[in-house]
Amino acid sequence: MYTHHSLLLTPGPTPVPLAIQNAMNLPMVGHRSADFEAIAQKAFSSLKTTFGASNDVIILTSSGTSALEASMRNLVNPDDHIVVIVSGAFGARFQQIAETYAHNLHVFNVEWGQAFKTDDVMSFIQSLEHPVTAVFTQYCETSTSVLHPVAELGHALKAHDDNIYFVVDGVSCIGAVDVDMARDAIDVLVAGSQKAMMLPPGLAFVAYNDRARERFAHIDSPSFYLNLSKHHASLEAHTTPYTPNVPAFRGVVQYAKMVDEEGHGQVVQRHYAIRDAVRHALKALDLDLLVADDSASPTVTAFVPKDTDEVKHIKNELSNTFNISIAGGQGKLKGHILRVGHMGFISPFDLLPFIASLEIILTDYRNENYIGKGTKAFMEVVYNEL
Ligand SMILES: *Cc1c(COP(=O)(O)O)cnc(C)c1O
């Protein structure tokens, strides 16, 4: 079979709409110009809806990991005790960043594929001898496709100790979830450009409340490029401390415009409907899901083929025969699972070629007729939820 159109269904990068590409192709302007200041001011403030933030959002010209590092460097002093929740490869990254700077680190491990249980996290924190300065977690742990109950934990943390900073890595779900930093008791919320925000890779975002911004200004831990106080001072002046990715800032403005046009609530609902349809279809194809329904992310779905050979076969056939890219497992899940991304510039029917291809691949490979089974299950959900 020959497919003209390639289909990018990895959990980042994700497809970039033409309107954003076009906005990014406008003639270059200098970053110390009134033109750029107008773009920057719009970009910082237009992200408030997506992040559920009451302050403008800092934009860094670097990938998502830089925002993870920045959130830690700018909130945590050398002697502070912090808790990092590790439920997959990206939690492990937060742990590595903490270990790099030799903080008093307490790791709360969660079985990969499960969401944390708020009560268990709280018992862990209460069992520590030192008060905790900050708690770090993923919102969506991309490596397992779990969506954690961050609002529930945010409230429990604040009830336990008002002084704790709650830092959430939303790189792979911000743009696709209903989040409100004040309502959900989040102090710092970070994201990246190339996932649910349908931009090219290379920008990172840091949203913060007033209490966190205050802390950035008085922290002892040194930082230079990622000093958030410096970035905040520039933001107030509608600019950036160093040369920004000017085209990508224009992309951000266009992104926010598209979200406004569709309506943020509708964007979120679209992601959840696609998630449900994908999960229903995979089940109909006798593919196990790694994550239970009540903690499944709206942006990425991990599924478990019968064995390692089937994992390889499905991924290769999708790519070689059908021109469709999905992702494999990371860390200890490598070779055991596959992950399909469905976030950003994606509508329900965009997933149909993936489901239809799986029907063909599995019919041949398992010698069992799956034709029509996945697509029927998929369409039933789309029909009912949209
Ligand atoms: C992709 C991702 C990151 C890292 O982003 P980079 O842009 O690769 O630096 C961090 N956290 C989560 C949850 C992610 O999905």
Side-chain angles (χ1 to χ4, degrees):
M1 185 180 295
Y2 189 80
T3 12
H4 293 274
H5 298 290
S6 60
L7 187 53
L8 180 62
L9 296 177
T10 54
T14 61
V16 177
L18 198 60
I20 287 183
Q21 288 180 44
N22 287 341
M24 292 181 62
N25 265 335
L26 290 171
M28 189 57 60
V29 294
H31 65 291
R32 302 291 178 226
S33 66
D35 281 345
F36 179 72
E37 283 173 15
I39 297 165
Q41 180 181 14
K42 228 178 194 171
F44 298 141
S45 76
S46 66
L47 288 175
K48 286 179 356 190
T49 310
T50 295
F51 284 80
S54 41
N55 292 324
D56 285 2
V57 178
I58 288 175
I59 304 178
L60 305 168
T61 293
S62 39
S63 84
T65 304
S66 70
L68 271 60
E69 177 161 346
S71 66
M72 213 173 256
R73 285 312 275 162
N74 289 271
L75 279 177
V76 182
N77 278 325
D79 292 334
D80 290 342
H81 286 253
I82 63 170
V83 168
V84 171
I85 298 175
V86 177
S87 64
F90 290 101
R93 187 168 302 180
F94 251 149
Q95 178 179 352
Q96 283 177 328
I97 295 170
E99 285 166 354
T100 301
Y101 297 112
H103 294 309
N104 297 311
L105 171 65
H106 306 276
V107 173
F108 181 80
N109 280 298
V110 180
E111 194 183 327
W112 290 32
Q114 310 261 316
F116 61 67
K117 293 196 176 61
T118 296
D119 289 349
D120 294 349
V121 180
M122 293 315 298
S123 314
F124 177 76
I125 289 172
Q126 278 151 9
S127 76
L128 300 173
E129 279 173 21
H130 294 269
V132 166
T133 302
V135 174
F136 296 80
T137 186
Q138 271 58 49
Y139 197 152
C140 166
E141 173 49 76
T142 326
S143 65
T144 64
S145 75
V146 160
L147 192 79
H148 288 295
V150 293
E152 193 183 277
L153 180 57
H155 285 284
L157 287 171
K158 296 298 145 90
H160 166 69
D161 177 357
D162 235 6
N163 295 314
I164 291 183
Y165 290 91
F166 186 36
V167 181
V168 174
D169 164 8
V171 175
S172 61
C173 66
I174 293 306
V177 289
D178 169 27
V179 66
D180 181 307
M181 292 177 65
R183 180 196 69 197
D184 302 339
I186 298 169
D187 295 290
V188 174
L189 178 59
V190 304
S193 51
Q194 79 276 25
K195 302 202 176 163
M197 294 174 69
M198 57 191 188
L199 290 153
L203 292 185
F205 309 107
V206 184
Y208 46 86
N209 59 18
D210 291 338
R211 196 170 75 94
R213 195 203 57 228
E214 228 3 73
R215 174 103 178 158
F216 299 160
H218 296 106
I219 206 75
D220 296 331
S221 301
S223 59
F224 189 82
Y225 192 78
L226 295 178
N227 185 295
L228 292 177
S229 266
K230 211 153 45 182
H231 281 276
H232 177 258
S234 293
L235 173 147
E236 300 243 281
H238 309 145
T239 188
T240 56
Y242 314 106
T243 314
N245 183 332
V246 173
F249 272 62
R250 282 194 167 121
V252 167
V253 174
Q254 180 61 33
Y255 158 75
K257 190 164 167 239
M258 291 173 75
V259 172
D260 265 359
E261 279 163 11
E262 185 178 348
H264 185 250
Q266 176 57 39
V267 172
V268 171
Q269 204 216 318
R270 166 165 57 81
H271 282 88
Y272 276 87
I274 295 174
R275 172 195 75 173
D276 294 347
V278 167
R279 290 174 66 82
H280 204 52
L282 292 173
K283 282 182 207 164
L285 296 174
D286 297 327
L287 288 161
D288 288 338
L289 301 171
L290 181 69
V291 171
D293 286 343
D294 59 4
S295 44
S297 172
T299 54
V300 53
T301 298
F303 58 99
V304 193
K306 299 242 183 289
D307 53 39
T308 314
D309 287 341
E310 199 178 84
V311 166
K312 274 195 210 128
H313 183 74
I314 292 175
K315 188 155 185 286
N316 290 340
E317 279 296 297
L318 280 173
S319 167
N320 299 338
T321 309
F322 299 98
N323 214 353
I324 297 173
S325 305
I326 64 168
Q330 292 170 282
K332 56 179 133 174
L333 291 173
K334 202 172 169 142
H336 299 291
I337 63 164
L338 292 170
R339 294 175 300 141
V340 58
H342 34 81
M343 62 182 117
F345 188 54
I346 203 103
S347 35
F349 289 177
D350 294 338
L351 269 299
L352 275 175
F354 163 68
I355 301 295
S357 304
L358 279 180
E359 289 176 351
I360 294 173
I361 293 168
L362 291 173
T363 297
D364 282 345
Y365 192 76
R366 291 180 178 171
N367 217 350
E368 188 177 336
N369 188 2
Y370 285 104
I371 302 303
K373 288 191 177 165
T375 45
K376 180 169 190 290
F378 188 92
M379 286 309 300
E380 280 167 356
V381 176
V382 170
Y383 182 71
N384 284 322
E385 288 199 23
L386 283 174

